[in-house]
Amino acid sequence: MNTQDYKAYKKDFSSIGIRMLISTVIVLAIQTGASALALALFPQWQDNLAILLVVTMVPLYLIAFPISFALLRDKNAPAIEKHPMKPGQLVIAFMMLYGLMILGNLIGLALTAGIGIIKGSPVQNALLNVITGGSLWITAIFTVLCAPVFEEYLFRKLICDRAVKYGEGVAVVLSGLLFGLFHMNFNQFFYAFFLGCFLAFLYVKTGNLKYTILLHMILNFLGSVVGAIIMTLDQSDPLMMIIMTVYSLCIYAVAIAGIVLLIVKRRKMTLKQGEIVIEKGQRFKTVILNVGMILYCLVLFAIMIAQAFVG
């Protein structure tokens, strides 16, 4: 493969990075603008997390995400062959996903704890604040119903459809990386990266977004709804403590089982080459070391650093 070919491929991935960066800027601008306008008109909403969540999330899903869809959509992207999943396969996939989520969450907690020690104060967990400080129903609508649909369409379908011609492995890692960085904080980066990669793997293998949306919904429901309910239980009540203990044991039992399944079945989880094959020594330089992807990674990493050390 000649140098000219690699320049064309790098340009393709650079375009994805630039489009994702523009999408992220639009998301931040719309959310920040909506929040600032709402507080300027109704300053009494300052301490009402539920209303502020609605103010920032509605324009996100009605304006920002549709613009992102238009930017990333590729009419010439090849269709991924569809394959059905059996109920048993979905259960196994869920266990694997749950294991990856817990593992990624532990890594994120360890990293943010270290950052907290360095700066002398805890790193703020925006997601935890939303889950525990707002309306459970409003949180459920946005995190369980809206987020999985919009995020799966953007990061699995549109990203994977554009990248799968370079191979399923490239599509999987790219989807996971973009998804992880898009969360813009260290608390969520690692588990979002792990989940993004695995959900992308499921998508390129099934060609069907309904499976990844369903699994994403279940995970978000367990994290934002069930998790929020558990955290509000009275720890001084012996019965509530028993419930929390049993719940924690179940969580880690499923997570450990999922990691074990991943290890056992790893050899069967093969990734096919695409119609365009990038040689091993050239993949990172082609997919990541281009103007668009470097800018996207640097800008979002800078936001993550600022959120951790300044926020």
PDB file of all heavy atoms in Angstrom, residues 240-266:
ATOM      1  N   MET A 240     -32.549  -2.081  55.742  1.00  0.00           N
ATOM      2  CA  MET A 240     -32.029  -1.373  54.578  1.00  0.00           C
ATOM      3  C   MET A 240     -30.559  -1.731  54.332  1.00  0.00           C
ATOM      4  O   MET A 240     -30.113  -1.849  53.194  1.00  0.00           O
ATOM      5  CB  MET A 240     -32.162   0.148  54.775  1.00  0.00           C
ATOM      6  CG  MET A 240     -33.594   0.652  54.861  1.00  0.00           C
ATOM      7  SD  MET A 240     -34.585   0.308  53.382  1.00  0.00           S
ATOM      8  CE  MET A 240     -35.588  -1.080  53.948  1.00  0.00           C
ATOM      9  N   MET A 241     -29.835  -1.914  55.426  1.00  0.00           N
ATOM     10  CA  MET A 241     -28.430  -2.307  55.291  1.00  0.00           C
ATOM     11  C   MET A 241     -28.294  -3.694  54.680  1.00  0.00           C
ATOM     12  O   MET A 241     -27.403  -3.951  53.866  1.00  0.00           O
ATOM     13  CB  MET A 241     -27.751  -2.275  56.667  1.00  0.00           C
ATOM     14  CG  MET A 241     -27.323  -0.887  57.108  1.00  0.00           C
ATOM     15  SD  MET A 241     -26.134  -0.135  55.955  1.00  0.00           S
ATOM     16  CE  MET A 241     -24.750  -1.278  56.098  1.00  0.00           C
ATOM     17  N   ILE A 242     -29.208  -4.575  55.037  1.00  0.00           N
ATOM     18  CA  ILE A 242     -29.208  -5.920  54.454  1.00  0.00           C
ATOM     19  C   ILE A 242     -29.485  -5.840  52.959  1.00  0.00           C
ATOM     20  O   ILE A 242     -28.825  -6.487  52.137  1.00  0.00           O
ATOM     21  CB  ILE A 242     -30.255  -6.818  55.153  1.00  0.00           C
ATOM     22  CG1 ILE A 242     -29.826  -7.098  56.591  1.00  0.00           C
ATOM     23  CG2 ILE A 242     -30.432  -8.130  54.382  1.00  0.00           C
ATOM     24  CD1 ILE A 242     -30.871  -7.838  57.413  1.00  0.00           C
ATOM     25  N   ILE A 243     -30.474  -5.003  52.581  1.00  0.00           N
ATOM     26  CA  ILE A 243     -30.820  -4.825  51.170  1.00  0.00           C
ATOM     27  C   ILE A 243     -29.627  -4.286  50.386  1.00  0.00           C
ATOM     28  O   ILE A 243     -29.298  -4.772  49.298  1.00  0.00           O
ATOM     29  CB  ILE A 243     -32.035  -3.887  51.027  1.00  0.00           C
ATOM     30  CG1 ILE A 243     -33.286  -4.561  51.589  1.00  0.00           C
ATOM     31  CG2 ILE A 243     -32.240  -3.503  49.553  1.00  0.00           C
ATOM     32  CD1 ILE A 243     -34.504  -3.660  51.623  1.00  0.00           C
ATOM     33  N   MET A 244     -28.959  -3.282  50.950  1.00  0.00           N
ATOM     34  CA  MET A 244     -27.797  -2.691  50.282  1.00  0.00           C
ATOM     35  C   MET A 244     -26.662  -3.696  50.147  1.00  0.00           C
ATOM     36  O   MET A 244     -25.990  -3.758  49.112  1.00  0.00           O
ATOM     37  CB  MET A 244     -27.313  -1.454  51.057  1.00  0.00           C
ATOM     38  CG  MET A 244     -28.279  -0.292  51.044  1.00  0.00           C
ATOM     39  SD  MET A 244     -27.736   1.106  52.074  1.00  0.00           S
ATOM     40  CE  MET A 244     -26.321   1.663  51.134  1.00  0.00           C
ATOM     41  N   THR A 245     -26.475  -4.503  51.181  1.00  0.00           N
ATOM     42  CA  THR A 245     -25.405  -5.504  51.141  1.00  0.00           C
ATOM     43  C   THR A 245     -25.687  -6.562  50.090  1.00  0.00           C
ATOM     44  O   THR A 245     -24.793  -6.933  49.306  1.00  0.00           O
ATOM     45  CB  THR A 245     -25.250  -6.172  52.523  1.00  0.00           C
ATOM     46  OG1 THR A 245     -24.956  -5.174  53.499  1.00  0.00           O
ATOM     47  CG2 THR A 245     -24.134  -7.204  52.491  1.00  0.00           C
ATOM     48  N   VAL A 246     -26.920  -7.049  50.058  1.00  0.00           N
ATOM     49  CA  VAL A 246     -27.305  -8.065  49.064  1.00  0.00           C
ATOM     50  C   VAL A 246     -27.171  -7.501  47.650  1.00  0.00           C
ATOM     51  O   VAL A 246     -26.669  -8.173  46.741  1.00  0.00           O
ATOM     52  CB  VAL A 246     -28.750  -8.551  49.314  1.00  0.00           C
ATOM     53  CG1 VAL A 246     -29.223  -9.448  48.164  1.00  0.00           C
ATOM     54  CG2 VAL A 246     -28.841  -9.300  50.634  1.00  0.00           C
ATOM     55  N   TYR A 247     -27.600  -6.247  47.488  1.00  0.00           N
ATOM     56  CA  TYR A 247     -27.506  -5.597  46.175  1.00  0.00           C
ATOM     57  C   TYR A 247     -26.046  -5.484  45.732  1.00  0.00           C
ATOM     58  O   TYR A 247     -25.699  -5.784  44.592  1.00  0.00           O
ATOM     59  CB  TYR A 247     -28.148  -4.206  46.233  1.00  0.00           C
ATOM     60  CG  TYR A 247     -28.017  -3.402  44.962  1.00  0.00           C
ATOM     61  CD1 TYR A 247     -28.764  -3.732  43.830  1.00  0.00           C
ATOM     62  CD2 TYR A 247     -27.141  -2.317  44.887  1.00  0.00           C
ATOM     63  CE1 TYR A 247     -28.649  -2.993  42.656  1.00  0.00           C
ATOM     64  CE2 TYR A 247     -27.018  -1.583  43.715  1.00  0.00           C
ATOM     65  CZ  TYR A 247     -27.773  -1.930  42.605  1.00  0.00           C
ATOM     66  OH  TYR A 247     -27.633  -1.210  41.452  1.00  0.00           O
ATOM     67  N   SER A 248     -25.180  -5.063  46.647  1.00  0.00           N
ATOM     68  CA  SER A 248     -23.757  -4.937  46.325  1.00  0.00           C
ATOM     69  C   SER A 248     -23.144  -6.276  45.963  1.00  0.00           C
ATOM     70  O   SER A 248     -22.355  -6.385  45.008  1.00  0.00           O
ATOM     71  CB  SER A 248     -23.004  -4.326  47.509  1.00  0.00           C
ATOM     72  OG  SER A 248     -23.474  -3.031  47.794  1.00  0.00           O
ATOM     73  N   LEU A 249     -23.510  -7.318  46.706  1.00  0.00           N
ATOM     74  CA  LEU A 249     -22.998  -8.653  46.413  1.00  0.00           C
ATOM     75  C   LEU A 249     -23.451  -9.126  45.032  1.00  0.00           C
ATOM     76  O   LEU A 249     -22.668  -9.727  44.286  1.00  0.00           O
ATOM     77  CB  LEU A 249     -23.456  -9.641  47.485  1.00  0.00           C
ATOM     78  CG  LEU A 249     -22.818  -9.491  48.874  1.00  0.00           C
ATOM     79  CD1 LEU A 249     -23.481 -10.435  49.866  1.00  0.00           C
ATOM     80  CD2 LEU A 249     -21.320  -9.758  48.806  1.00  0.00           C
ATOM     81  N   CYS A 250     -24.705  -8.843  44.703  1.00  0.00           N
ATOM     82  CA  CYS A 250     -25.235  -9.226  43.380  1.00  0.00           C
ATOM     83  C   CYS A 250     -24.499  -8.491  42.265  1.00  0.00           C
ATOM     84  O   CYS A 250     -24.161  -9.078  41.235  1.00  0.00           O
ATOM     85  CB  CYS A 250     -26.735  -8.932  43.308  1.00  0.00           C
ATOM     86  SG  CYS A 250     -27.757 -10.019  44.315  1.00  0.00           S
ATOM     87  N   ILE A 251     -24.252  -7.194  42.487  1.00  0.00           N
ATOM     88  CA  ILE A 251     -23.544  -6.389  41.492  1.00  0.00           C
ATOM     89  C   ILE A 251     -22.176  -6.998  41.190  1.00  0.00           C
ATOM     90  O   ILE A 251     -21.821  -7.226  40.021  1.00  0.00           O
ATOM     91  CB  ILE A 251     -23.358  -4.939  42.004  1.00  0.00           C
ATOM     92  CG1 ILE A 251     -24.645  -4.151  41.845  1.00  0.00           C
ATOM     93  CG2 ILE A 251     -22.230  -4.232  41.243  1.00  0.00           C
ATOM     94  CD1 ILE A 251     -24.547  -2.741  42.372  1.00  0.00           C
ATOM     95  N   TYR A 252     -21.424  -7.256  42.236  1.00  0.00           N
ATOM     96  CA  TYR A 252     -20.067  -7.749  42.017  1.00  0.00           C
ATOM     97  C   TYR A 252     -20.048  -9.204  41.554  1.00  0.00           C
ATOM     98  O   TYR A 252     -19.127  -9.602  40.827  1.00  0.00           O
ATOM     99  CB  TYR A 252     -19.228  -7.549  43.284  1.00  0.00           C
ATOM    100  CG  TYR A 252     -18.857  -6.096  43.474  1.00  0.00           C
ATOM    101  CD1 TYR A 252     -19.541  -5.293  44.391  1.00  0.00           C
ATOM    102  CD2 TYR A 252     -17.861  -5.514  42.696  1.00  0.00           C
ATOM    103  CE1 TYR A 252     -19.217  -3.951  44.541  1.00  0.00           C
ATOM    104  CE2 TYR A 252     -17.541  -4.167  42.848  1.00  0.00           C
ATOM    105  CZ  TYR A 252     -18.215  -3.396  43.758  1.00  0.00           C
ATOM    106  OH  TYR A 252     -17.903  -2.064  43.887  1.00  0.00           O
ATOM    107  N   ALA A 253     -21.062  -9.974  41.921  1.00  0.00           N
ATOM    108  CA  ALA A 253     -21.153 -11.353  41.433  1.00  0.00           C
ATOM    109  C   ALA A 253     -21.369 -11.360  39.916  1.00  0.00           C
ATOM    110  O   ALA A 253     -20.710 -12.108  39.184  1.00  0.00           O
ATOM    111  CB  ALA A 253     -22.290 -12.087  42.136  1.00  0.00           C
ATOM    112  N   VAL A 254     -22.290 -10.513  39.450  1.00  0.00           N
ATOM    113  CA  VAL A 254     -22.555 -10.409  38.005  1.00  0.00           C
ATOM    114  C   VAL A 254     -21.326  -9.865  37.287  1.00  0.00           C
ATOM    115  O   VAL A 254     -20.953 -10.350  36.210  1.00  0.00           O
ATOM    116  CB  VAL A 254     -23.781  -9.516  37.729  1.00  0.00           C
ATOM    117  CG1 VAL A 254     -23.951  -9.268  36.233  1.00  0.00           C
ATOM    118  CG2 VAL A 254     -25.049 -10.165  38.291  1.00  0.00           C
ATOM    119  N   ALA A 255     -20.693  -8.855  37.880  1.00  0.00           N
ATOM    120  CA  ALA A 255     -19.506  -8.248  37.266  1.00  0.00           C
ATOM    121  C   ALA A 255     -18.372  -9.255  37.140  1.00  0.00           C
ATOM    122  O   ALA A 255     -17.740  -9.361  36.075  1.00  0.00           O
ATOM    123  CB  ALA A 255     -19.052  -7.037  38.071  1.00  0.00           C
ATOM    124  N   ILE A 256     -18.113  -9.991  38.196  1.00  0.00           N
ATOM    125  CA  ILE A 256     -17.039 -10.983  38.159  1.00  0.00           C
ATOM    126  C   ILE A 256     -17.354 -12.075  37.148  1.00  0.00           C
ATOM    127  O   ILE A 256     -16.485 -12.506  36.372  1.00  0.00           O
ATOM    128  CB  ILE A 256     -16.820 -11.584  39.567  1.00  0.00           C
ATOM    129  CG1 ILE A 256     -16.244 -10.518  40.499  1.00  0.00           C
ATOM    130  CG2 ILE A 256     -15.878 -12.792  39.501  1.00  0.00           C
ATOM    131  CD1 ILE A 256     -16.212 -10.918  41.958  1.00  0.00           C
ATOM    132  N   ALA A 257     -18.616 -12.520  37.139  1.00  0.00           N
ATOM    133  CA  ALA A 257     -19.027 -13.538  36.165  1.00  0.00           C
ATOM    134  C   ALA A 257     -18.838 -13.024  34.741  1.00  0.00           C
ATOM    135  O   ALA A 257     -18.407 -13.765  33.844  1.00  0.00           O
ATOM    136  CB  ALA A 257     -20.475 -13.934  36.405  1.00  0.00           C
ATOM    137  N   GLY A 258     -19.153 -11.736  34.536  1.00  0.00           N
ATOM    138  CA  GLY A 258     -18.997 -11.151  33.203  1.00  0.00           C
ATOM    139  C   GLY A 258     -17.546 -11.087  32.760  1.00  0.00           C
ATOM    140  O   GLY A 258     -17.233 -11.392  31.602  1.00  0.00           O
ATOM    141  N   ILE A 259     -16.654 -10.715  33.666  1.00  0.00           N
ATOM    142  CA  ILE A 259     -15.225 -10.666  33.338  1.00  0.00           C
ATOM    143  C   ILE A 259     -14.702 -12.070  33.043  1.00  0.00           C
ATOM    144  O   ILE A 259     -13.914 -12.279  32.103  1.00  0.00           O
ATOM    145  CB  ILE A 259     -14.423 -10.027  34.491  1.00  0.00           C
ATOM    146  CG1 ILE A 259     -14.836  -8.559  34.687  1.00  0.00           C
ATOM    147  CG2 ILE A 259     -12.925 -10.124  34.215  1.00  0.00           C
ATOM    148  CD1 ILE A 259     -14.583  -7.670  33.493  1.00  0.00           C
ATOM    149  N   VAL A 260     -15.138 -13.053  33.833  1.00  0.00           N
ATOM    150  CA  VAL A 260     -14.726 -14.441  33.602  1.00  0.00           C
ATOM    151  C   VAL A 260     -15.202 -14.908  32.230  1.00  0.00           C
ATOM    152  O   VAL A 260     -14.451 -15.549  31.480  1.00  0.00           O
ATOM    153  CB  VAL A 260     -15.278 -15.372  34.705  1.00  0.00           C
ATOM    154  CG1 VAL A 260     -15.046 -16.842  34.339  1.00  0.00           C
ATOM    155  CG2 VAL A 260     -14.624 -15.058  36.043  1.00  0.00           C
ATOM    156  N   LEU A 261     -16.439 -14.573  31.880  1.00  0.00           N
ATOM    157  CA  LEU A 261     -16.972 -14.947  30.567  1.00  0.00           C
ATOM    158  C   LEU A 261     -16.167 -14.300  29.444  1.00  0.00           C
ATOM    159  O   LEU A 261     -15.915 -14.925  28.407  1.00  0.00           O
ATOM    160  CB  LEU A 261     -18.442 -14.535  30.463  1.00  0.00           C
ATOM    161  CG  LEU A 261     -19.452 -15.420  31.205  1.00  0.00           C
ATOM    162  CD1 LEU A 261     -20.822 -14.761  31.242  1.00  0.00           C
ATOM    163  CD2 LEU A 261     -19.550 -16.785  30.529  1.00  0.00           C
ATOM    164  N   LEU A 262     -15.781 -13.052  29.652  1.00  0.00           N
ATOM    165  CA  LEU A 262     -14.957 -12.367  28.647  1.00  0.00           C
ATOM    166  C   LEU A 262     -13.629 -13.089  28.439  1.00  0.00           C
ATOM    167  O   LEU A 262     -13.175 -13.270  27.301  1.00  0.00           O
ATOM    168  CB  LEU A 262     -14.693 -10.922  29.080  1.00  0.00           C
ATOM    169  CG  LEU A 262     -15.703  -9.864  28.672  1.00  0.00           C
ATOM    170  CD1 LEU A 262     -15.416  -8.562  29.393  1.00  0.00           C
ATOM    171  CD2 LEU A 262     -15.692  -9.650  27.161  1.00  0.00           C
ATOM    172  N   ILE A 263     -13.026 -13.500  29.528  1.00  0.00           N
ATOM    173  CA  ILE A 263     -11.739 -14.190  29.440  1.00  0.00           C
ATOM    174  C   ILE A 263     -11.905 -15.549  28.754  1.00  0.00           C
ATOM    175  O   ILE A 263     -11.113 -15.925  27.883  1.00  0.00           O
ATOM    176  CB  ILE A 263     -11.132 -14.366  30.846  1.00  0.00           C
ATOM    177  CG1 ILE A 263     -10.794 -12.994  31.448  1.00  0.00           C
ATOM    178  CG2 ILE A 263      -9.887 -15.253  30.800  1.00  0.00           C
ATOM    179  CD1 ILE A 263     -10.391 -13.038  32.911  1.00  0.00           C
ATOM    180  N   VAL A 264     -12.957 -16.271  29.141  1.00  0.00           N
ATOM    181  CA  VAL A 264     -13.183 -17.614  28.595  1.00  0.00           C
ATOM    182  C   VAL A 264     -13.512 -17.567  27.103  1.00  0.00           C
ATOM    183  O   VAL A 264     -13.039 -18.398  26.324  1.00  0.00           O
ATOM    184  CB  VAL A 264     -14.318 -18.321  29.368  1.00  0.00           C
ATOM    185  CG1 VAL A 264     -14.724 -19.622  28.676  1.00  0.00           C
ATOM    186  CG2 VAL A 264     -13.882 -18.597  30.806  1.00  0.00           C
ATOM    187  N   LYS A 265     -14.313 -16.577  26.697  1.00  0.00           N
ATOM    188  CA  LYS A 265     -14.803 -16.517  25.327  1.00  0.00           C
ATOM    189  C   LYS A 265     -13.994 -15.582  24.422  1.00  0.00           C
ATOM    190  O   LYS A 265     -14.385 -15.337  23.283  1.00  0.00           O
ATOM    191  CB  LYS A 265     -16.276 -16.079  25.319  1.00  0.00           C
ATOM    192  CG  LYS A 265     -17.216 -17.088  25.964  1.00  0.00           C
ATOM    193  CD  LYS A 265     -18.646 -16.599  25.923  1.00  0.00           C
ATOM    194  CE  LYS A 265     -19.601 -17.633  26.488  1.00  0.00           C
ATOM    195  NZ  LYS A 265     -19.691 -18.830  25.609  1.00  0.00           N
ATOM    196  N   ARG A 266     -12.879 -15.063  24.931  1.00  0.00           N
ATOM    197  CA  ARG A 266     -12.140 -14.053  24.180  1.00  0.00           C
ATOM    198  C   ARG A 266     -11.659 -14.559  22.817  1.00  0.00           C
ATOM    199  O   ARG A 266     -11.613 -13.791  21.845  1.00  0.00           O
ATOM    200  CB  ARG A 266     -10.959 -13.539  24.998  1.00  0.00           C
ATOM    201  CG  ARG A 266      -9.831 -14.538  25.192  1.00  0.00           C
ATOM    202  CD  ARG A 266      -8.778 -14.022  26.157  1.00  0.00           C
ATOM    203  NE  ARG A 266      -7.615 -14.893  26.229  1.00  0.00           N
ATOM    204  CZ  ARG A 266      -7.570 -16.018  26.902  1.00  0.00           C
ATOM    205  NH1 ARG A 266      -8.659 -16.425  27.565  1.00  0.00           N
ATOM    206  NH2 ARG A 266      -6.478 -16.747  26.915  1.00  0.00           N
TER     207      ARG A 266
END
